[in-house]
Amino acid sequence: MPSPANASIVELDAVSLSRAIHARDVSCVEVLDAFLAQIDRHNPQVNAIVAPVDRDALRTLAAERDGELSRGQSRGPLHGFPQAPKDIMPAAGMVTTKGSPIFAGQVSRTDAVIFERMRAGGALFVGRSNSPEFGLGGHTYNQVYGTTRNAWEPSRSAGGSSGGAAVAVALHMLPVADGSDMMGSLRTPAAFNHVYGLRTSFGCVPHGPTDEVFFQQFSVAGPMARNVPDLALLLSVQAGFDARLPLTRRAEPQGSVALPPPRDWKGVRIGWLGDLGGQLPTEPGLLGTCEQALTHLRDIGCTVEAALPDFDLESLWMAWIDLRSFAVAGANKALWDDPAKRALLKPEAVWEIERGQALSGSRVFEAMCVRSAWYQAMRALFERYDYLVLPSTQVFPFPAEWDWPHAIDGRDMDTYHRWMQTVVPATMAGLPALAAPAGFGPNGLPAGIQIIGPAQADAAVLQLGHAYDEAGGFSRLRSPLLG
């Protein structure tokens, strides 16, 4: 069991923890020991943090961070923060398996840019956060490390692919955590574990290693936290231009304040997309739970009304899975070409690669045209509304033993990811989307909403999300596992 002093450290929000470290109220060594004790207490039950780093080496690094502070030197808001970079992108000197037995034991020589920034900002990498194989699928399990379990109900899924990160944050094993999102990989686990996750606008946060394929425009990196100011704190370290990745933006210089000051929300217009006019099957009770959460937006003065884009949403889905398969197939061609490695791929990866390889150039171009038209349809909606809101998921956390939900409310899912269709609108339009808690359904399980803003309005989305949380009090609720 953690000592009383350790317990008080892990109870601090990230903003308060950073202040306490810089005021020398707590040492970086004490902070490290407190979070390691919390990991020892909870991780065996949920399997969120994997590939642990040698603790003596970590304590040496923490002592060095204390020495820097004693000389008046701070690396930034993450100085002395224990972190566990998601096991998808490379982290120098750490095992990067991508959840695949193909890469089990592989030690990376370089950092992805986001990890480079977090490390330079003073973070101590204590292990990796678990992820499904290649980040495919909204449920965190793999052949290397096993299944990550829900932070509120361990018999249930943690979501994915940033499932390990969400659970670690929810159970105070980390103060904040990084994640990535292509098809809800930040948003699904945030909803399933009652935390916040920001799918950033494309280019806001440098994503991937510096040799990332220039084409890549879907997967983004971003922060996860228990409240919005903590999200903004981590984002301030992650965001900003990097000349090695030319699609990154200069709009958010690294170290800038990401959360704007409070404002008057009276008259702000919110479009509630719901189940997209029946396009999205939802588990009974989920839509009602999300609609109840909208009262907190009304409470702060927003006007909320039903909205629906003027678009063929099935054509949007088909364009999405074409572009996704095209990207997955290209990124994993070397694995596919090696019969021994191909035999180790999970069925969902095989499906994506085979499908992507069969696509013609003209079909990929047609999908890009649909995507462009979708962005314009969303832009037209933002001429009527300041923000759009959509459920983060179509189901509550499902049994951890499942591979994925094969049906929702009597409707069969025709692919392994159709049950996550609700996250596609923001991804395909390249818009910022904050996954925020929406409370708990009739079954007692967490649900979430997405607050979607116009292009590059990341800070504005955080601003509304913070006001929503202050009205609803979601960040004050704790997992029953914490006692």
Side-chain angles (χ1 to χ4, degrees):
M1 295 289 289
S3 69
N6 283 346
S8 65
I9 288 173
V10 300
E11 289 300 313
L12 293 173
D13 59 63
V15 171
S16 299
L17 177 63
S18 185
R19 289 173 181 158
I21 290 171
H22 284 86
R24 309 299 302 280
D25 293 333
V26 295
S27 71
C28 296
V29 172
E30 289 171 328
V31 170
L32 174 66
D33 284 341
F35 281 97
L36 290 178
Q38 190 76 349
I39 291 169
D40 288 343
R41 182 184 183 191
H42 292 291
N43 201 54
Q45 187 176 14
V46 294
N47 191 38
I49 297 177
V50 297
V53 172
D54 178 79
R55 294 190 173 187
D56 289 337
L58 287 171
R59 291 189 179 96
T60 298
L61 289 174
E64 291 176 2
R65 298 289 184 273
D66 283 324
E68 290 170 347
L69 289 176
S70 70
R71 297 188 296 273
Q73 300 169 355
S74 169
R75 293 173 177 245
L78 297 187
H79 193 105
F81 269 40
Q83 291 290 273
K86 182 178 175 182
D87 185 27
I88 288 291
M89 294 186 291
M94 303 183 77
V95 174
T96 305
T97 73
K98 302 183 182 181
S100 170
I102 296 172
F103 301 117
Q106 172 185 264
V107 176
S108 297
R109 289 187 258 180
T110 59
D111 279 325
V113 177
I114 185 174
F115 301 154
E116 179 183 283
R117 290 187 170 186
M118 292 167 65
R119 198 192 299 267
L124 303 174
F125 290 172
V126 301
R128 306 301 300 259
S129 61
N130 202 20
S131 173
E133 183 177 324
F134 303 118
L136 299 177
H139 179 25
T140 298
Y141 70 96
N142 58 63
Q143 297 180 60
V144 182
Y145 297 118
T147 302
T148 296
R149 295 179 174 272
N150 191 278
W152 289 74
E153 175 45 70
S155 68
R156 299 282 169 154
S157 168
S161 62
S162 307
V167 173
V169 166
L171 294 180
H172 298 229
M173 293 188 284
L174 297 173
V176 289
D178 70 275
S180 57
D181 187 304
M182 183 182 194
M183 192 178 179
S185 290
L186 277 158
R187 291 168 283 169
T188 301
F192 275 15
N193 294 282
H194 192 82
V195 296
Y196 288 84
L198 177 66
R199 178 189 164 85
T200 53
S201 294
F202 188 77
C204 174
V205 174
H207 179 271
T210 54
D211 60 355
E212 185 76 39
V213 176
F214 200 1
F215 165 82
Q216 200 286 121
Q217 295 181 0
F218 291 115
S219 185
V220 299
M224 302 190 85
R226 292 185 292 275
N227 62 51
V228 177
D230 288 358
L231 271 184
L233 180 142
L234 179 53
L235 182 61
S236 73
V237 175
Q238 296 174 332
F241 177 74
D242 189 298
R244 296 168 295 180
L245 299 170
L247 296 181
T248 52
R249 302 201 311 264
R250 297 184 186 274
E252 296 90 1
Q254 191 178 4
S256 65
V257 177
L259 183 62
R263 57 161 289 184
D264 182 3
W265 295 98
K266 186 175 181 180
V268 169
R269 303 161 300 170
I270 305 246
W272 166 238
L273 301 180
D275 62 359
L276 293 175
Q279 172 75 12
L280 304 178
T282 56
E283 184 175 344
L286 187 135
L287 207 58
T289 301
C290 293
E291 288 171 342
Q292 180 62 33
L294 299 178
T295 60
H296 304 300
L297 293 170
R298 296 187 176 97
D299 288 343
I300 62 175
C302 297
T303 299
V304 182
E305 62 181 50
L308 189 65
D310 182 15
F311 206 84
D312 179 354
L313 294 169
E314 187 63 19
S315 72
L316 178 68
W317 170 255
M318 294 307 300
W320 162 246
I321 62 173
D322 282 353
L323 292 173
R324 176 181 168 93
S325 294
F326 174 72
V328 172
N332 295 287
K333 182 179 185 301
L335 303 181
W336 183 260
D337 289 344
D338 184 330
K341 293 178 179 178
R342 184 191 312 167
L344 296 174
L345 295 172
K346 74 175 185 177
E348 292 82 359
V350 171
W351 182 86
E352 291 279 16
I353 294 169
E354 289 182 341
R355 192 175 183 281
Q357 290 180 333
L359 293 169
S360 66
S362 61
R363 179 153 174 173
V364 172
F365 183 78
E366 289 168 5
M368 292 177 178
C369 292
V370 172
R371 183 190 185 195
S372 298
W374 170 247
Y375 173 78
Q376 297 303 331
M378 290 291 275
R379 191 175 65 85
L381 268 184
F382 279 115
E383 292 177 357
R384 295 171 50 200
Y385 302 103
D386 301 296
Y387 300 86
L388 300 172
V389 177
L390 190 64
S392 292
T393 67
Q394 294 163 240
V395 297
F396 293 105
F398 50 85
E401 291 73 26
W402 291 9
D403 51 0
W404 43 276
H406 288 253
I408 300 176
D409 197 25
R411 289 169 64 175
D412 290 338
M413 301 292 100
D414 55 358
T415 71
Y416 79 98
H417 45 18
R418 175 76 88 151
W419 64 275
M420 297 185 289
Q421 190 173 351
T422 187
V423 301
V424 170
T427 294
M428 282 288 269
L431 302 178
L434 174 66
F440 300 84
N443 52 17
L445 296 173
I449 58 170
Q450 302 173 70
I451 299 174
I452 303 171
Q456 302 188 22
D458 302 73
V461 166
L462 290 178
Q463 187 181 38
L464 177 58
H466 184 41
Y468 164 82
D469 181 52
E470 288 190 314
F474 295 107
S475 62
R476 295 192 291 271
L477 300 178
R478 296 162 46 90
S479 163
L481 273 62
L482 291 170

